[in-house]
């Protein structure tokens, strides 16, 4: 009996050593270590800089240091257009910037598409995980080897002008003012339909254009952008035509190679910062409206009825132009989700 026990004990020891050997030779799921770079375009102490750092810190903490992300601020690795390409190619693993449509014009919908929604809350729901804009963009990202982890808003757009124009919330009334618009055809058409005389001018030249009378106002950003023009403008009008969005983006091939737990950690960490930024942006919009008011600018907040009338006009008269840019199939998804009949 003793000899049999010794023999069984020996077999057990061999089996244990074999299992131990397998554990040593085959890392468990998620045991791989990574060192990645994340580029973001804003200063380190900005909300976006803080969000990037917090994202990297959470990922590192939840993976016990296996995933180590170094954040590069203020576009240190390149501007936002270049970074979209670098992430697509896998030269830089992560990015927090707007989406560039360089390799797929349908991605124009991720930047300036007026009145996909009329309010901040509508935008938050549409861009959230499972939201219709988020789902639509995930399919488009896949075509350019990119994974969108979460979206962060910059703020709700409006316009500054020298003076409050006639019926600012009625798109059928001529405003009699020239307004600087982003050099995008859709921006020109949008503000023309709002009753302005659009002038396409790069943002860097907008201030001097207003100073010299080439333009009477400017659009393209939220209230903190409007505050930059406080010394040469007399009013802010909250048009809510779009929310400029930045995305936590990652090379899709790298993302797909990760274990499911690691993928989930990345998504959850990015979504945590995205959720926070919707609140930060909402508060920041109000903060800068108050700052403009303190400097003597008239603040015009359009009513729900005015925003609805404007949105209907833009969707009817400007969206057909987007059919040519991003494709009717994409715009028909938008139409279905905002209640516009699809023809």
């Amino acid at each position: 009996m003793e000899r049999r026990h010794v023999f069984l004990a020996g077999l057990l020891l061999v089996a244990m050593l074999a299992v131990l050997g397998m554990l040593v030779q085959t890392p468990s799921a998620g045991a791989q270590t990574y060192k990645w770079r994340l580029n973001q375009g804003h200063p380190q102490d900005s909300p976006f800089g803080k969000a990037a750092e917090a994202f990297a810190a959470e990922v590192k903490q939840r993976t016990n240091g296996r995933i180590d992300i170094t954040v590069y601020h203020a576009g240190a690795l390149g501007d936002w257009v270049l970074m979209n390409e670098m992430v697509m190619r896998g030269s830089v693993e992560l990015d927090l910037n707007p989406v560039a449509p360089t390799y797929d014009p349908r991605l124009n919908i991720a930047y300036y598409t007026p009145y996909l929604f009329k309010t901040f809350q509508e935008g938050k729901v549409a861009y959230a995980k499972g939201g219709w804009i988020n789902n639509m963009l995930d399919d488009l990202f896949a075509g350019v080897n990119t994974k969108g982890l979460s979206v962060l808003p910059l703020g709700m757009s409006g316009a500054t002008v020298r003076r409050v124009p006639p019926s600012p919330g009625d798109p059928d009334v001529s405003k009699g003012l020239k307004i600087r618009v982003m050099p995008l055809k859709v921006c020109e058409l949008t503000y023309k339909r709002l009753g302005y005389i659009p002038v396409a001018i790069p943002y860097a030249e907008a201030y001097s254009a207003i100073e010299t009378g080439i333009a009477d106002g400017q659009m393209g950003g939220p209230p903190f952008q409007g505050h930059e023009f406080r010394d040469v403008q007399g009013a802010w009008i909250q048009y809510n035509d779009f929310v400029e969005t930045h995305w936590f983006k990652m090379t899709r091939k790298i993302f797909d190679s990760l274990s499911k737990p690691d993928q989930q950690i990345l998504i959850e960490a990015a979504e945590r910062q995205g959720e926070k930024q919707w609140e930060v942006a909402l508060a920041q919009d109000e903060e800068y409206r108050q700052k403009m008011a303190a400097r003597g600018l008239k603040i015009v907040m359009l009513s729900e009825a005015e925003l609805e009338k404007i949105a209907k006009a833009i969707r009817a008269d400007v969206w057909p132009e987007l059919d040519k840019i991003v494709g009717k199939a994409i715009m028909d998804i938008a139409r279905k989700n905002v209640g516009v009949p699809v023809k």
Side-chain angles (χ1 to χ4, degrees):
M1 292 292 292
E2 290 182 3
R3 184 179 296 180
R4 184 168 178 267
H5 287 163
V6 170
F7 177 72
L8 290 175
L11 285 178
L12 181 61
L13 179 61
V14 170
M16 290 176 63
L17 288 173
V19 171
L20 181 60
M22 290 174 62
L23 291 174
V24 170
Q25 294 170 22
T26 307
S28 60
Q32 180 68 44
T33 61
Y34 306 94
K35 289 187 70 69
W36 294 333
R37 294 174 295 171
L38 188 161
N39 186 78
Q40 71 88 20
H42 294 267
Q44 184 171 355
D45 61 353
S46 70
F48 287 86
K50 294 174 182 176
E53 293 283 2
F55 165 78
E58 178 175 338
V59 170
K60 186 172 185 178
Q61 186 271 325
R62 291 180 63 185
T63 61
N64 296 316
R66 289 187 302 100
I67 300 180
D68 187 4
I69 300 170
T70 301
V71 179
Y72 293 84
H73 299 283
L77 299 181
D79 68 20
W80 66 281
V81 176
L82 175 62
M83 280 304 103
N84 276 263
E85 179 178 347
M86 297 292 275
V87 167
M88 182 189 79
R89 297 184 183 283
S91 303
V92 174
E93 297 83 8
L94 290 149
D95 178 43
L96 176 56
N97 268 309
V99 176
T102 311
Y103 292 91
D104 186 347
R106 294 177 299 171
L107 284 168
N108 274 288
I109 200 164
Y111 189 66
Y112 186 79
T113 301
Y115 295 101
L116 287 175
F117 41 83
K118 306 183 300 296
T119 68
F120 214 75
Q121 184 58 34
E122 287 178 6
K124 181 180 179 180
V125 171
Y127 274 111
K129 185 178 181 180
W132 71 269
I133 295 179
N134 194 307
N135 289 342
M136 176 175 58
L137 287 174
D138 190 56
D139 291 338
L140 297 179
F141 281 143
V144 291
N145 192 32
T146 301
K147 173 64 180 178
L149 301 175
S150 181
V151 64
L152 283 71
L154 197 61
M156 203 79 181
S157 182
T160 57
V161 285
R162 293 190 190 281
R163 60 185 181 279
V164 178
S167 303
D170 190 340
D172 297 323
V173 174
S174 173
K175 308 301 184 288
L177 296 173
K178 293 176 291 183
I179 192 163
R180 172 268 169 187
V181 299
M182 294 186 285
L184 300 171
K185 183 65 174 178
V186 180
C187 286
E188 294 182 43
L189 293 174
T190 296
Y191 274 79
K192 182 177 182 181
R193 184 62 185 86
L194 289 176
Y196 293 91
I197 304 165
V199 184
I201 298 172
Y203 181 73
E205 301 172 18
Y207 197 97
S208 61
I210 294 170
E211 275 189 313
T212 57
I214 295 173
D216 299 304
Q218 63 82 36
M219 60 73 63
F224 83 75
Q225 177 173 308
H227 185 256
E228 297 296 312
F229 296 84
R230 60 193 178 277
D231 293 329
V232 291
Q233 298 281 255
W236 167 265
I237 304 171
Q238 190 69 57
Y239 275 114
N240 288 9
D241 47 320
F242 84 116
V243 168
E244 181 174 331
T245 55
H246 289 46
W247 283 80
F248 274 116
K249 301 185 293 295
M250 184 175 188
T251 307
R252 199 175 195 102
K253 187 175 181 180
I254 296 175
F255 179 84
D256 289 345
S257 72
L258 301 174
S259 68
K260 294 296 181 184
D262 281 352
Q263 289 180 348
Q264 192 65 22
I265 287 170
L266 288 166
I267 290 173
E268 289 176 356
E271 287 179 345
R272 202 176 321 281
Q273 295 309 313
E275 181 74 18
K276 179 180 178 181
Q277 182 58 27
W278 282 99
E279 303 306 320
V280 169
L282 187 64
Q284 184 172 264
D285 281 0
E286 179 58 26
E287 174 189 354
Y288 278 92
R289 281 192 294 264
Q290 291 181 10
K291 286 184 176 182
M292 284 189 283
R295 292 297 295 264
L297 276 74
K298 174 71 174 176
I299 307 299
V300 179
M301 301 297 291
L302 301 182
S303 68
E304 184 177 340
E306 288 173 320
L307 288 172
E308 180 64 24
K309 183 175 182 179
I310 288 173
K312 284 183 177 179
I314 298 302
R315 291 165 180 170
D317 299 335
V318 176
W319 278 19
E321 184 67 23
L322 278 159
D323 287 346
K324 306 172 189 176
I325 298 171
V326 304
K328 191 173 185 301
I330 294 294
M331 291 311 300
D332 281 350
I333 294 173
R335 290 182 176 98
K336 288 177 183 177
N337 280 278
V338 301
V340 173
V342 176
K343 300 177 182 178

